[in-house]
């Protein structure tokens, strides 16, 4: 992966998650993905599932359990949504 694009690995695994979870169609054509997500509860669900799938890049260890969401973002170079999802899995 390109070191200048630290979220690249997460993005790739997120997209693999879409495929393995059986999500169909092109999800982010047209309005930006942020706008599209606000328009469709189904899209929100699929994005949440793909982010959860990619969350395995953030291992389950005691250090992660004590981190804040901001610390997870910086340590694992993931989006705030992905960090929040992983953080919530420990609560």
């Amino acid at each position: 992966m390109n070191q200048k694009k630290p979220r690249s690995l997460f993005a790739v695994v997120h997209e693999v998650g879409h495929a393995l979870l059986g999500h169909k169609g092109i999800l982010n054509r047209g309005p930006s993905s942020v706008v599209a997500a606000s328009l469709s509860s189904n899209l929100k669900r699929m994005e949440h599932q793909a982010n959860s799938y990619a969350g395995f890049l953030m291992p389950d260890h005691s250090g992660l359990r004590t981190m804040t969401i901001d610390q997870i973002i910086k340590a694992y170079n993931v989006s705030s949504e992905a960090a929040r999802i992983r953080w919530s899995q420990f609560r």
Side-chain angles (χ1 to χ4, degrees), residues 5-18:
K5 300 219 183 238
R7 292 188 186 180
S8 295
L9 179 59
F10 186 88
V12 168
V13 176
H14 170 98
E15 296 307 322
V16 168
H18 279 303

Side-chain angles (χ1 to χ4, degrees), residues 4-76:
K4 293 182 181 181
K5 300 219 183 238
R7 292 188 186 180
S8 295
L9 179 59
F10 186 88
V12 168
V13 176
H14 170 98
E15 296 307 322
V16 168
H18 279 303
L20 293 176
L21 293 165
H23 298 164
K24 304 290 184 203
I26 299 172
L27 301 176
N28 65 349
R29 298 289 187 247
S32 75
S33 58
V34 172
V35 172
S38 69
L39 299 175
S40 167
S41 61
N42 189 45
L43 179 57
K44 283 183 185 180
R45 180 187 56 77
M46 289 188 291
E47 286 301 307
H48 181 82
Q49 289 173 342
N51 280 335
S52 295
Y53 176 81
F56 81 84
L57 293 172
M58 296 170 273
D60 182 1
H61 62 75
S62 60
L64 185 64
R65 292 172 181 271
T66 63
M67 295 169 81
T68 66
I69 293 172
D70 286 336
Q71 289 170 327
I72 293 171
I73 292 168
K74 289 176 186 168
Y76 294 98

